[in-house]
Structure formats: structure tokens, C-alpha cells
Amino acid sequence: MAAFGGRNGLRMAASQLLKTLTRSSNSRSCSSGIVSSEIVTSHTDKWMQDTSKKSPMELINEVPPIKVEGRIVACEGDDDPALGHPIEFICLDKAEPAVCKYCGLRYVQDHHH
């Protein structure tokens, strides 16, 4: 990359950068930077058209709560880091199952008394 000298050179570099960014042919970019609600609605409708298929939340709710011996569980979503999520430490002190905020898996403390 060529070095630009002085204020004039800095303006040229900024101008070239701006031109490059505005000419970008990225199909995902939006001019306003905000995804319109129309796109989100049509995407959701696409998934909900086939009523014979279950939604992701229905599928995750079919998984029974996972019993854990300790008071705290570390949920990673999956054993494979590429398929998982950041580690979420979940406290199991309450009577009802605790839910992972990333994947929705439920955990409950297994009492032995």
C-alpha cells in the first residue's frame, strides 16, 4: 500500500476507502444498515408454512431435562466446539429445571436422598 503524505494524501486515502466500501457488491449489506421487518417476517413465515414440521423450540422441548449430580452445570450445547456455544454456567438450586439461554437445554439437580 502506498504511503500518503500530508492532509491531502489522507483525504485521498479516505476518499478511496469510501469509494471501495460503497462499491462493495455484498448482497447481504443494506443501505440503511438495518434489516427491514418485512424480510424477517417473510423468513419466519417461510419456516412456519409447513405445519407438519416442528419448530426448533418444539424440538428442544421434547428433550427431557438432563439430570446432574452437582449444584452447577456447564452447558456448551454440543461436545463439538464447532456446533456448540459459549460455556454457560447454570445454577441448579431451584426446584424447577434451569434452562440454558443459548440452546434451551434444561437441567435439573439429581437428589440422592
Side-chain angles (χ1 to χ4, degrees):
M1 181 172 186
F4 294 97
R7 283 187 160 184
N8 207 13
L10 187 58
R11 283 187 192 135
M12 285 177 40
S15 175
Q16 287 178 340
L17 178 62
L18 186 60
K19 286 177 186 175
T20 303
L21 292 174
T22 55
R23 276 187 281 151
S24 175
S25 62
N26 184 356
S27 63
R28 300 179 106 191
S29 65
C30 295
S31 59
S32 65
I34 300 173
V35 177
S36 74
S37 61
E38 180 181 310
I39 293 171
V40 173
T41 304
S42 63
H43 178 77
T44 304
D45 289 342
K46 177 181 117 179
W47 285 103
M48 300 309 288
Q49 283 176 356
D50 189 1
T51 56
S52 65
K53 293 182 181 178
K54 294 181 181 179
S55 72
M57 286 308 295
E58 290 171 329
L59 291 171
I60 200 71
N61 284 334
E62 288 181 355
V63 176
I66 301 165
K67 293 184 178 183
V68 180
E69 288 186 22
R71 289 182 51 226
I72 297 176
V73 65
C75 181
E76 294 181 281
D78 196 81
D79 293 335
D80 182 359
L83 300 175
H85 57 68
I87 295 176
E88 172 71 12
F89 293 97
I90 304 169
C91 183
L92 305 175
D93 286 341
K94 297 183 180 178
E96 65 271 357
V99 181
C100 175
K101 68 180 180 184
Y102 292 109
C103 64
L105 287 175
R106 294 171 292 157
Y107 296 91
V108 64
Q109 189 174 12
D110 188 16
H111 298 284
H112 291 289
H113 7 157

